[in-house]
Amino acid sequence: MTFNAEGTPPPEPRGFYLSYFRTAVPGYFQTVAQSLLRGREFLESDTAASAPVCIVSQSFARRFWPEQNAIGKRVKWGRIDGPRPWCTIVGIVADTKTVADPRDGEVIGMVARPLAQILPMGSGQIDELTYVLQSDGTLPSEAAIRNALARADSRLAAYEMISLGEAAAQSRATERFIFVLVSSFGFLGLLLAAVGLYGLLSLQVTRRQREFGIRSALGATARQIVQLVVRQGSRLLGVGFAVGALVTWGSLRLMQNQWAEMPAPNFFAWVGGAIVLSIAVTLACWLPARRAARVDPVIALRAE
């Protein structure tokens, strides 16, 4: 739906914004459990003979009237100089998940109009109608649904009957795939980081075998050598965590400035990654140091 919001100049050069458009009947938002945050739903009195009204989503209201009450504000369908009248906002509902088409560009929230005010404009305004059927908890048969629709209007040709749960699952199929893919790459990156960290620290400890031989010859015990290496590795791990946290925080702030709706980072993912890397550092320091501490000091001093 092309539109302009009251009090906001039209964007140039096209002269309008884009929003998702819905037509609804009284009680629709309550039926689909879309929370009414402010104002009212459509009423039976919202007909073609009454003043044009609309209901907008929370993100729509927040975009054009931040920290204001959007109830009573107006939305123009089309360009400012277009023939269609202004619609008064009578309600604000919670946002819903929408599968966006990247070819649409920026699409701002949702605008809903009463079905009774849209039908007189012609059938070209509505591509299709979706009926939401409430049941007592058991899924009715397709024959029962068709009978109910036939009693309402025998001209209706119903197709694509699906439960809301299945429809929601299908709408998130792409996002689930992207989530699994990104999570797999993240887990693989964490695993590679742990293996690389283990190999690097293990090599560094192994190369200090001569040093450990000298320490043993001077009276250091195996336990002291292991504690020395683990303490140095822990210090290196702490510095790495501090630098990584600062870089991550800076990157998040930069991304949030560019993308206001970016979700907050997952605390448990951070803790999980830190635990995995800590285990890798501990093993990389403890195992080689334990082996080196058991080597005869004479053999260690002769080694190159």
mmCIF file of all heavy atoms in Angstrom, residues 213-259:
data_model
loop_
_atom_site.group_PDB
_atom_site.id
_atom_site.type_symbol
_atom_site.label_atom_id
_atom_site.label_comp_id
_atom_site.label_asym_id
_atom_site.label_seq_id
_atom_site.Cartn_x
_atom_site.Cartn_y
_atom_site.Cartn_z
ATOM 1 N N GLY A 213 63.321 -28.142 31.905
ATOM 2 C CA GLY A 213 64.422 -28.963 32.409
ATOM 3 C C GLY A 213 65.327 -28.178 33.338
ATOM 4 O O GLY A 213 65.767 -28.686 34.379
ATOM 5 N N ILE A 214 65.597 -26.929 32.967
ATOM 6 C CA ILE A 214 66.435 -26.085 33.827
ATOM 7 C C ILE A 214 65.736 -25.818 35.154
ATOM 8 O O ILE A 214 66.354 -25.856 36.232
ATOM 9 C CB ILE A 214 66.763 -24.769 33.098
ATOM 10 C CG1 ILE A 214 67.608 -25.052 31.850
ATOM 11 C CG2 ILE A 214 67.460 -23.797 34.022
ATOM 12 C CD1 ILE A 214 67.890 -23.834 31.005
ATOM 13 N N ARG A 215 64.439 -25.540 35.097
ATOM 14 C CA ARG A 215 63.689 -25.285 36.325
ATOM 15 C C ARG A 215 63.682 -26.535 37.221
ATOM 16 O O ARG A 215 63.803 -26.432 38.447
ATOM 17 C CB ARG A 215 62.253 -24.875 35.996
ATOM 18 C CG ARG A 215 62.141 -23.488 35.367
ATOM 19 C CD ARG A 215 60.673 -23.134 35.061
ATOM 20 N NE ARG A 215 60.542 -21.819 34.478
ATOM 21 C CZ ARG A 215 60.435 -20.691 35.163
ATOM 22 N NH1 ARG A 215 60.449 -20.723 36.496
ATOM 23 N NH2 ARG A 215 60.318 -19.529 34.552
ATOM 24 N N SER A 216 63.534 -27.705 36.579
ATOM 25 C CA SER A 216 63.554 -28.948 37.368
ATOM 26 C C SER A 216 64.918 -29.167 38.002
ATOM 27 O O SER A 216 65.027 -29.621 39.157
ATOM 28 C CB SER A 216 63.181 -30.134 36.477
ATOM 29 O OG SER A 216 61.861 -30.006 35.983
ATOM 30 N N ALA A 217 65.976 -28.871 37.249
ATOM 31 C CA ALA A 217 67.333 -29.044 37.792
ATOM 32 C C ALA A 217 67.591 -28.101 38.952
ATOM 33 O O ALA A 217 68.383 -28.418 39.859
ATOM 34 C CB ALA A 217 68.358 -28.803 36.680
ATOM 35 N N LEU A 218 66.919 -26.943 38.949
ATOM 36 C CA LEU A 218 67.097 -25.976 40.031
ATOM 37 C C LEU A 218 66.160 -26.234 41.199
ATOM 38 O O LEU A 218 66.143 -25.462 42.150
ATOM 39 C CB LEU A 218 66.880 -24.554 39.498
ATOM 40 C CG LEU A 218 67.908 -24.075 38.479
ATOM 41 C CD1 LEU A 218 67.565 -22.687 37.954
ATOM 42 C CD2 LEU A 218 69.315 -24.069 39.096
ATOM 43 N N GLY A 219 65.341 -27.291 41.105
ATOM 44 C CA GLY A 219 64.523 -27.679 42.254
ATOM 45 C C GLY A 219 63.038 -27.499 42.088
ATOM 46 O O GLY A 219 62.272 -27.777 43.027
ATOM 47 N N ALA A 220 62.563 -27.039 40.922
ATOM 48 C CA ALA A 220 61.121 -26.871 40.722
ATOM 49 C C ALA A 220 60.446 -28.224 40.613
ATOM 50 O O ALA A 220 60.965 -29.147 39.970
ATOM 51 C CB ALA A 220 60.860 -26.045 39.461
ATOM 52 N N THR A 221 59.297 -28.356 41.252
ATOM 53 C CA THR A 221 58.550 -29.611 41.178
ATOM 54 C C THR A 221 57.665 -29.616 39.941
ATOM 55 O O THR A 221 57.421 -28.567 39.304
ATOM 56 C CB THR A 221 57.679 -29.793 42.432
ATOM 57 O OG1 THR A 221 56.695 -28.743 42.475
ATOM 58 C CG2 THR A 221 58.528 -29.751 43.693
ATOM 59 N N ALA A 222 57.182 -30.810 39.608
ATOM 60 C CA ALA A 222 56.285 -30.922 38.448
ATOM 61 C C ALA A 222 55.023 -30.100 38.646
ATOM 62 O O ALA A 222 54.503 -29.473 37.703
ATOM 63 C CB ALA A 222 55.941 -32.395 38.210
ATOM 64 N N ARG A 223 54.517 -30.078 39.874
ATOM 65 C CA ARG A 223 53.298 -29.308 40.145
ATOM 66 C C ARG A 223 53.525 -27.819 39.934
ATOM 67 O O ARG A 223 52.679 -27.115 39.385
ATOM 68 C CB ARG A 223 52.837 -29.587 41.567
ATOM 69 C CG ARG A 223 51.567 -28.870 41.949
ATOM 70 C CD ARG A 223 51.147 -29.248 43.357
ATOM 71 N NE ARG A 223 49.919 -28.548 43.727
ATOM 72 C CZ ARG A 223 49.315 -28.675 44.904
ATOM 73 N NH1 ARG A 223 49.846 -29.503 45.837
ATOM 74 N NH2 ARG A 223 48.206 -28.016 45.182
ATOM 75 N N GLN A 224 54.680 -27.331 40.350
ATOM 76 C CA GLN A 224 54.987 -25.908 40.177
ATOM 77 C C GLN A 224 55.105 -25.540 38.708
ATOM 78 O O GLN A 224 54.683 -24.454 38.289
ATOM 79 C CB GLN A 224 56.279 -25.565 40.930
ATOM 80 C CG GLN A 224 56.136 -25.607 42.444
ATOM 81 C CD GLN A 224 57.464 -25.397 43.146
ATOM 82 O OE1 GLN A 224 58.539 -25.722 42.620
ATOM 83 N NE2 GLN A 224 57.402 -24.861 44.368
ATOM 84 N N ILE A 225 55.701 -26.431 37.922
ATOM 85 C CA ILE A 225 55.830 -26.154 36.487
ATOM 86 C C ILE A 225 54.456 -26.105 35.825
ATOM 87 O O ILE A 225 54.162 -25.215 35.014
ATOM 88 C CB ILE A 225 56.722 -27.217 35.827
ATOM 89 C CG1 ILE A 225 58.166 -27.088 36.339
ATOM 90 C CG2 ILE A 225 56.674 -27.089 34.304
ATOM 91 C CD1 ILE A 225 59.093 -28.149 35.810
ATOM 92 N N VAL A 226 53.589 -27.059 36.173
ATOM 93 C CA VAL A 226 52.234 -27.065 35.609
ATOM 94 C C VAL A 226 51.478 -25.808 36.020
ATOM 95 O O VAL A 226 50.788 -25.172 35.198
ATOM 96 C CB VAL A 226 51.482 -28.338 36.045
ATOM 97 C CG1 VAL A 226 50.019 -28.257 35.622
ATOM 98 C CG2 VAL A 226 52.130 -29.576 35.455
ATOM 99 N N GLN A 227 51.575 -25.421 37.292
ATOM 100 C CA GLN A 227 50.894 -24.219 37.755
ATOM 101 C C GLN A 227 51.411 -22.969 37.039
ATOM 102 O O GLN A 227 50.640 -22.061 36.714
ATOM 103 C CB GLN A 227 51.083 -24.073 39.271
ATOM 104 C CG GLN A 227 50.305 -25.087 40.092
ATOM 105 C CD GLN A 227 50.560 -24.933 41.580
ATOM 106 O OE1 GLN A 227 51.513 -24.280 41.997
ATOM 107 N NE2 GLN A 227 49.703 -25.563 42.392
ATOM 108 N N LEU A 228 52.706 -22.914 36.763
ATOM 109 C CA LEU A 228 53.294 -21.784 36.051
ATOM 110 C C LEU A 228 52.693 -21.650 34.653
ATOM 111 O O LEU A 228 52.277 -20.562 34.235
ATOM 112 C CB LEU A 228 54.812 -21.950 35.971
ATOM 113 C CG LEU A 228 55.552 -20.940 35.080
ATOM 114 C CD1 LEU A 228 55.452 -19.534 35.662
ATOM 115 C CD2 LEU A 228 57.010 -21.359 34.896
ATOM 116 N N VAL A 229 52.651 -22.782 33.954
ATOM 117 C CA VAL A 229 52.148 -22.742 32.584
ATOM 118 C C VAL A 229 50.655 -22.408 32.559
ATOM 119 O O VAL A 229 50.197 -21.593 31.751
ATOM 120 C CB VAL A 229 52.409 -24.089 31.883
ATOM 121 C CG1 VAL A 229 51.779 -24.096 30.501
ATOM 122 C CG2 VAL A 229 53.911 -24.344 31.778
ATOM 123 N N VAL A 230 49.882 -23.031 33.445
ATOM 124 C CA VAL A 230 48.432 -22.766 33.485
ATOM 125 C C VAL A 230 48.170 -21.310 33.847
ATOM 126 O O VAL A 230 47.270 -20.664 33.290
ATOM 127 C CB VAL A 230 47.746 -23.715 34.473
ATOM 128 C CG1 VAL A 230 46.286 -23.321 34.678
ATOM 129 C CG2 VAL A 230 47.836 -25.153 33.981
ATOM 130 N N ARG A 231 48.959 -20.751 34.772
ATOM 131 C CA ARG A 231 48.768 -19.358 35.166
ATOM 132 C C ARG A 231 49.067 -18.418 34.002
ATOM 133 O O ARG A 231 48.335 -17.450 33.757
ATOM 134 C CB ARG A 231 49.664 -19.045 36.371
ATOM 135 C CG ARG A 231 49.423 -17.668 36.951
ATOM 136 C CD ARG A 231 50.065 -17.533 38.323
ATOM 137 N NE ARG A 231 51.473 -17.898 38.321
ATOM 138 C CZ ARG A 231 51.958 -18.989 38.888
ATOM 139 N NH1 ARG A 231 51.138 -19.834 39.511
ATOM 140 N NH2 ARG A 231 53.257 -19.259 38.860
ATOM 141 N N GLN A 232 50.115 -18.693 33.256
ATOM 142 C CA GLN A 232 50.429 -17.860 32.097
ATOM 143 C C GLN A 232 49.360 -17.990 31.006
ATOM 144 O O GLN A 232 48.985 -17.008 30.373
ATOM 145 C CB GLN A 232 51.806 -18.243 31.551
ATOM 146 C CG GLN A 232 52.952 -17.891 32.481
ATOM 147 C CD GLN A 232 54.293 -18.388 31.975
ATOM 148 O OE1 GLN A 232 54.370 -19.215 31.054
ATOM 149 N NE2 GLN A 232 55.381 -17.890 32.565
ATOM 150 N N GLY A 233 48.879 -19.221 30.816
ATOM 151 C CA GLY A 233 47.817 -19.407 29.835
ATOM 152 C C GLY A 233 46.530 -18.707 30.237
ATOM 153 O O GLY A 233 45.822 -18.132 29.395
ATOM 154 N N SER A 234 46.198 -18.719 31.543
ATOM 155 C CA SER A 234 45.004 -18.034 32.026
ATOM 156 C C SER A 234 45.120 -16.524 31.840
ATOM 157 O O SER A 234 44.148 -15.849 31.497
ATOM 158 C CB SER A 234 44.784 -18.369 33.504
ATOM 159 O OG SER A 234 44.621 -19.761 33.688
ATOM 160 N N ARG A 235 46.320 -16.004 32.056
ATOM 161 C CA ARG A 235 46.526 -14.576 31.843
ATOM 162 C C ARG A 235 46.327 -14.213 30.367
ATOM 163 O O ARG A 235 45.684 -13.208 30.039
ATOM 164 C CB ARG A 235 47.940 -14.193 32.305
ATOM 165 C CG ARG A 235 48.169 -12.680 32.327
ATOM 166 C CD ARG A 235 49.583 -12.344 32.774
ATOM 167 N NE ARG A 235 49.864 -12.910 34.100
ATOM 168 C CZ ARG A 235 50.776 -13.836 34.341
ATOM 169 N NH1 ARG A 235 51.514 -14.323 33.346
ATOM 170 N NH2 ARG A 235 50.975 -14.279 35.556
ATOM 171 N N LEU A 236 46.850 -15.047 29.487
ATOM 172 C CA LEU A 236 46.664 -14.818 28.047
ATOM 173 C C LEU A 236 45.191 -14.925 27.664
ATOM 174 O O LEU A 236 44.677 -14.126 26.867
ATOM 175 C CB LEU A 236 47.492 -15.833 27.262
ATOM 176 C CG LEU A 236 47.425 -15.747 25.738
ATOM 177 C CD1 LEU A 236 47.981 -14.406 25.260
ATOM 178 C CD2 LEU A 236 48.210 -16.895 25.103
ATOM 179 N N LEU A 237 44.489 -15.889 28.264
ATOM 180 C CA LEU A 237 43.064 -16.058 27.988
ATOM 181 C C LEU A 237 42.275 -14.840 28.455
ATOM 182 O O LEU A 237 41.362 -14.369 27.770
ATOM 183 C CB LEU A 237 42.557 -17.321 28.680
ATOM 184 C CG LEU A 237 41.074 -17.653 28.483
ATOM 185 C CD1 LEU A 237 40.788 -17.973 27.035
ATOM 186 C CD2 LEU A 237 40.672 -18.832 29.370
ATOM 187 N N GLY A 238 42.609 -14.326 29.635
ATOM 188 C CA GLY A 238 41.909 -13.148 30.144
ATOM 189 C C GLY A 238 42.086 -11.931 29.245
ATOM 190 O O GLY A 238 41.136 -11.190 28.981
ATOM 191 N N VAL A 239 43.330 -11.729 28.768
ATOM 192 C CA VAL A 239 43.578 -10.607 27.847
ATOM 193 C C VAL A 239 42.779 -10.787 26.557
ATOM 194 O O VAL A 239 42.188 -9.841 26.031
ATOM 195 C CB VAL A 239 45.087 -10.490 27.550
ATOM 196 C CG1 VAL A 239 45.344 -9.445 26.473
ATOM 197 C CG2 VAL A 239 45.852 -10.135 28.824
ATOM 198 N N GLY A 240 42.742 -12.026 26.054
ATOM 199 C CA GLY A 240 41.983 -12.291 24.833
ATOM 200 C C GLY A 240 40.496 -12.042 25.007
ATOM 201 O O GLY A 240 39.841 -11.463 24.128
ATOM 202 N N PHE A 241 39.949 -12.453 26.152
ATOM 203 C CA PHE A 241 38.531 -12.209 26.422
ATOM 204 C C PHE A 241 38.239 -10.711 26.521
ATOM 205 O O PHE A 241 37.212 -10.231 26.031
ATOM 206 C CB PHE A 241 38.115 -12.904 27.711
ATOM 207 C CG PHE A 241 37.833 -14.365 27.533
ATOM 208 C CD1 PHE A 241 37.809 -15.217 28.629
ATOM 209 C CD2 PHE A 241 37.601 -14.905 26.286
ATOM 210 C CE1 PHE A 241 37.554 -16.566 28.476
ATOM 211 C CE2 PHE A 241 37.354 -16.260 26.110
ATOM 212 C CZ PHE A 241 37.328 -17.092 27.201
ATOM 213 N N ALA A 242 39.128 -9.970 27.169
ATOM 214 C CA ALA A 242 38.913 -8.528 27.321
ATOM 215 C C ALA A 242 38.927 -7.825 25.974
ATOM 216 O O ALA A 242 38.044 -7.012 25.666
ATOM 217 C CB ALA A 242 39.978 -7.941 28.254
ATOM 218 N N VAL A 243 39.923 -8.138 25.144
ATOM 219 C CA VAL A 243 40.001 -7.523 23.817
ATOM 220 C C VAL A 243 38.804 -7.941 22.962
ATOM 221 O O VAL A 243 38.185 -7.119 22.272
ATOM 222 C CB VAL A 243 41.328 -7.901 23.130
ATOM 223 C CG1 VAL A 243 41.361 -7.376 21.702
ATOM 224 C CG2 VAL A 243 42.513 -7.343 23.920
ATOM 225 N N GLY A 244 38.467 -9.240 23.010
ATOM 226 C CA GLY A 244 37.330 -9.712 22.229
ATOM 227 C C GLY A 244 36.026 -9.074 22.657
ATOM 228 O O GLY A 244 35.177 -8.747 21.818
ATOM 229 N N ALA A 245 35.829 -8.875 23.979
ATOM 230 C CA ALA A 245 34.604 -8.243 24.465
ATOM 231 C C ALA A 245 34.510 -6.798 23.998
ATOM 232 O O ALA A 245 33.433 -6.336 23.597
ATOM 233 C CB ALA A 245 34.555 -8.317 25.990
ATOM 234 N N LEU A 246 35.629 -6.074 24.023
ATOM 235 C CA LEU A 246 35.618 -4.682 23.570
ATOM 236 C C LEU A 246 35.314 -4.587 22.078
ATOM 237 O O LEU A 246 34.509 -3.749 21.642
ATOM 238 C CB LEU A 246 36.960 -4.016 23.883
ATOM 239 C CG LEU A 246 37.245 -3.739 25.362
ATOM 240 C CD1 LEU A 246 38.652 -3.195 25.539
ATOM 241 C CD2 LEU A 246 36.212 -2.765 25.927
ATOM 242 N N VAL A 247 35.939 -5.444 21.283
ATOM 243 C CA VAL A 247 35.695 -5.420 19.838
ATOM 244 C C VAL A 247 34.245 -5.810 19.534
ATOM 245 O O VAL A 247 33.587 -5.193 18.689
ATOM 246 C CB VAL A 247 36.683 -6.371 19.123
ATOM 247 C CG1 VAL A 247 36.324 -6.489 17.648
ATOM 248 C CG2 VAL A 247 38.115 -5.864 19.282
ATOM 249 N N THR A 248 33.752 -6.823 20.238
ATOM 250 C CA THR A 248 32.372 -7.244 20.019
ATOM 251 C C THR A 248 31.393 -6.158 20.414
ATOM 252 O O THR A 248 30.419 -5.887 19.702
ATOM 253 C CB THR A 248 32.079 -8.525 20.822
ATOM 254 O OG1 THR A 248 32.999 -9.537 20.442
ATOM 255 C CG2 THR A 248 30.666 -9.014 20.563
ATOM 256 N N TRP A 249 31.631 -5.504 21.542
ATOM 257 C CA TRP A 249 30.751 -4.429 21.988
ATOM 258 C C TRP A 249 30.742 -3.278 20.986
ATOM 259 O O TRP A 249 29.682 -2.740 20.655
ATOM 260 C CB TRP A 249 31.198 -3.938 23.357
ATOM 261 C CG TRP A 249 30.356 -2.810 23.889
ATOM 262 C CD1 TRP A 249 29.148 -2.902 24.529
ATOM 263 C CD2 TRP A 249 30.669 -1.409 23.817
ATOM 264 N NE1 TRP A 249 28.682 -1.660 24.858
ATOM 265 C CE2 TRP A 249 29.591 -0.719 24.428
ATOM 266 C CE3 TRP A 249 31.731 -0.679 23.301
ATOM 267 C CZ2 TRP A 249 29.567 0.669 24.541
ATOM 268 C CZ3 TRP A 249 31.703 0.700 23.406
ATOM 269 C CH2 TRP A 249 30.636 1.368 24.017
ATOM 270 N N GLY A 250 31.928 -2.899 20.493
ATOM 271 C CA GLY A 250 32.002 -1.832 19.500
ATOM 272 C C GLY A 250 31.287 -2.200 18.211
ATOM 273 O O GLY A 250 30.593 -1.374 17.613
ATOM 274 N N SER A 251 31.450 -3.457 17.777
ATOM 275 C CA SER A 251 30.775 -3.897 16.551
ATOM 276 C C SER A 251 29.262 -3.892 16.718
ATOM 277 O O SER A 251 28.521 -3.495 15.821
ATOM 278 C CB SER A 251 31.258 -5.301 16.175
ATOM 279 O OG SER A 251 32.658 -5.328 15.978
ATOM 280 N N LEU A 252 28.783 -4.334 17.894
ATOM 281 C CA LEU A 252 27.344 -4.339 18.156
ATOM 282 C C LEU A 252 26.780 -2.929 18.168
ATOM 283 O O LEU A 252 25.697 -2.673 17.613
ATOM 284 C CB LEU A 252 27.058 -5.033 19.479
ATOM 285 C CG LEU A 252 27.167 -6.556 19.486
ATOM 286 C CD1 LEU A 252 27.000 -7.094 20.903
ATOM 287 C CD2 LEU A 252 26.117 -7.172 18.569
ATOM 288 N N ARG A 253 27.483 -2.000 18.786
ATOM 289 C CA ARG A 253 27.014 -0.621 18.820
ATOM 290 C C ARG A 253 26.932 -0.036 17.411
ATOM 291 O O ARG A 253 25.981 0.668 17.076
ATOM 292 C CB ARG A 253 27.957 0.222 19.681
ATOM 293 C CG ARG A 253 27.976 -0.164 21.146
ATOM 294 C CD ARG A 253 26.706 0.260 21.845
ATOM 295 N NE ARG A 253 26.566 1.715 21.864
ATOM 296 C CZ ARG A 253 25.542 2.347 22.403
ATOM 297 N NH1 ARG A 253 24.556 1.635 22.946
ATOM 298 N NH2 ARG A 253 25.480 3.665 22.402
ATOM 299 N N LEU A 254 27.936 -0.343 16.595
ATOM 300 C CA LEU A 254 27.935 0.156 15.225
ATOM 301 C C LEU A 254 26.771 -0.430 14.435
ATOM 302 O O LEU A 254 26.079 0.285 13.696
ATOM 303 C CB LEU A 254 29.270 -0.189 14.558
ATOM 304 C CG LEU A 254 29.430 0.260 13.100
ATOM 305 C CD1 LEU A 254 29.355 1.781 13.006
ATOM 306 C CD2 LEU A 254 30.759 -0.236 12.531
ATOM 307 N N MET A 255 26.533 -1.734 14.585
ATOM 308 C CA MET A 255 25.440 -2.380 13.864
ATOM 309 C C MET A 255 24.077 -1.899 14.357
ATOM 310 O O MET A 255 23.143 -1.714 13.561
ATOM 311 C CB MET A 255 25.552 -3.896 14.001
ATOM 312 C CG MET A 255 26.779 -4.487 13.336
ATOM 313 S SD MET A 255 26.910 -6.272 13.568
ATOM 314 C CE MET A 255 25.475 -6.830 12.660
ATOM 315 N N GLN A 256 23.938 -1.664 15.663
ATOM 316 C CA GLN A 256 22.661 -1.184 16.194
ATOM 317 C C GLN A 256 22.354 0.234 15.740
ATOM 318 O O GLN A 256 21.195 0.608 15.597
ATOM 319 C CB GLN A 256 22.672 -1.270 17.719
ATOM 320 C CG GLN A 256 22.570 -2.692 18.248
ATOM 321 C CD GLN A 256 22.713 -2.769 19.754
ATOM 322 O OE1 GLN A 256 23.220 -1.840 20.388
ATOM 323 N NE2 GLN A 256 22.296 -3.884 20.340
ATOM 324 N N ASN A 257 23.404 1.036 15.506
ATOM 325 C CA ASN A 257 23.180 2.383 14.966
ATOM 326 C C ASN A 257 22.675 2.328 13.537
ATOM 327 O O ASN A 257 21.894 3.187 13.110
ATOM 328 C CB ASN A 257 24.476 3.200 15.034
ATOM 329 C CG ASN A 257 24.845 3.580 16.453
ATOM 330 O OD1 ASN A 257 23.978 3.658 17.324
ATOM 331 N ND2 ASN A 257 26.114 3.804 16.705
ATOM 332 N N GLN A 258 23.116 1.326 12.781
ATOM 333 C CA GLN A 258 22.683 1.183 11.406
ATOM 334 C C GLN A 258 21.373 0.409 11.294
ATOM 335 O O GLN A 258 20.627 0.591 10.337
ATOM 336 C CB GLN A 258 23.781 0.458 10.593
ATOM 337 C CG GLN A 258 25.111 1.179 10.575
ATOM 338 C CD GLN A 258 25.022 2.539 9.905
ATOM 339 O OE1 GLN A 258 24.305 2.719 8.935
ATOM 340 N NE2 GLN A 258 25.782 3.505 10.422
ATOM 341 N N TRP A 259 21.110 -0.466 12.258
ATOM 342 C CA TRP A 259 19.921 -1.318 12.219
ATOM 343 C C TRP A 259 19.289 -1.279 13.601
ATOM 344 O O TRP A 259 19.672 -2.009 14.495
ATOM 345 C CB TRP A 259 20.310 -2.744 11.828
ATOM 346 C CG TRP A 259 19.150 -3.682 11.714
ATOM 347 C CD1 TRP A 259 17.836 -3.361 11.487
ATOM 348 C CD2 TRP A 259 19.193 -5.103 11.852
ATOM 349 N NE1 TRP A 259 17.062 -4.490 11.469
ATOM 350 C CE2 TRP A 259 17.859 -5.575 11.689
ATOM 351 C CE3 TRP A 259 20.196 -6.027 12.082
ATOM 352 C CZ2 TRP A 259 17.534 -6.921 11.757
ATOM 353 C CZ3 TRP A 259 19.879 -7.367 12.152
ATOM 354 C CH2 TRP A 259 18.559 -7.808 11.975
#
